[in-house]
Amino acid sequence: MVLLCTVVIIDTVQFVQSSVALMGDATQPPQSASHCFLFERDFVGSWRCIPLCVRRKLDLIGLKLKLSHWLELSLAQRQTLVDWPDTPEAMHQLRDHLKDCTRPMADGMAKDLPPVTNAPWQRQDHLPPDVQQAARARTVTISLEQWAQLSELERFALCKLVRPGHDHHNLAAAFNEVLA
């Protein structure tokens, strides 16, 4: 009994350390595959929400993973999805893996969507009007040059967070973090 608790405590400490490491150095550009933003820190490690790095992967592979699916996965499985690389081969494997994982779940298998191509966040040459409008509303200036210098994940985050109907409580922090 004591040995089991010790293993769980050690695994938890290692898990939290690796989760915090995912947030990375704010002075370095984020790696799109597994980077978590500082404004996501309230759920990094617990993974009670789907982080933007995973949501980007889901968009790229064309799969609708519900929050209920995500929460039905074990903590280790969620961490694996955060850490999953985003190379073309890995993304194909991710799609198959998620379909297999979700098939027996209460909500059924994750649903297919068209994979995202040429989305506003994938384009460096065009600053989406909704991002620009949301920035102005928060007295933030963002130029096309700044937009082009953002990583794909940073552009993805801004595009997702400015969507109509989205809870914008992290938007100001997102602008501060990615434009700093």
Side-chain angles (χ1 to χ4, degrees):
M1 183 74 123
V2 172
L3 179 60
L4 177 60
C5 291
T6 304
V7 170
V8 169
I9 290 169
I10 290 170
D11 284 349
T12 302
V13 168
Q14 291 171 342
F15 177 76
V16 169
Q17 288 171 339
S18 68
S19 298
V20 170
L22 284 173
M23 291 170 54
D25 178 355
T27 63
Q28 298 297 317
Q31 298 300 313
S32 293
S34 61
H35 176 79
C36 291
F37 293 99
L38 293 174
F39 63 82
E40 296 179 296
R41 71 181 165 269
D42 60 328
F43 62 83
V44 168
S46 70
W47 305 127
R48 62 181 171 77
C49 297
I50 304 173
L52 288 163
C53 64
V54 173
R55 291 175 59 193
R56 176 184 155 272
K57 293 174 205 175
L58 294 170
D59 278 12
L60 290 170
I61 64 173
L63 205 62
K64 172 64 176 169
L65 186 74
K66 296 178 180 179
L67 182 58
S68 59
H69 288 125
W70 175 256
L71 294 174
E72 200 169 329
L73 296 168
S74 71
L75 202 54
Q77 287 174 307
R78 288 180 252 166
Q79 182 67 52
T80 297
L81 297 178
V82 170
D83 295 336
W84 204 285
D86 62 0
T87 62
E89 179 59 29
M91 296 295 272
H92 179 74
Q93 292 169 355
L94 175 61
R95 182 176 177 66
D96 293 343
H97 174 74
L98 283 171
K99 286 185 156 248
D100 289 342
C101 286
T102 58
R103 186 172 283 114
M105 290 185 175
D107 281 339
M109 189 168 49
K111 303 290 183 215
D112 289 323
L113 296 171
V116 173
T117 58
N118 204 29
W121 51 269
Q122 293 173 307
R123 296 186 54 198
Q124 293 175 290
D125 64 339
H126 178 73
L127 177 57
D130 50 346
V131 171
Q132 194 165 31
Q133 182 179 14
R136 270 195 221 113
R138 286 157 185 80
T139 64
V140 173
T141 303
I142 182 169
S143 67
L144 179 58
E145 182 180 340
Q146 287 173 300
W147 177 257
Q149 291 176 0
L150 297 178
S151 72
E152 184 178 275
L153 179 61
E154 290 169 328
R155 292 189 308 271
F156 176 83
L158 292 179
C159 285
K160 289 297 181 183
L161 294 174
V162 302
R163 289 180 313 177
H166 187 275
D167 177 8
H168 298 120
H169 75 277
N170 283 334
L171 188 53
F175 276 122
N176 287 337
E177 185 173 342
V178 304
L179 297 176

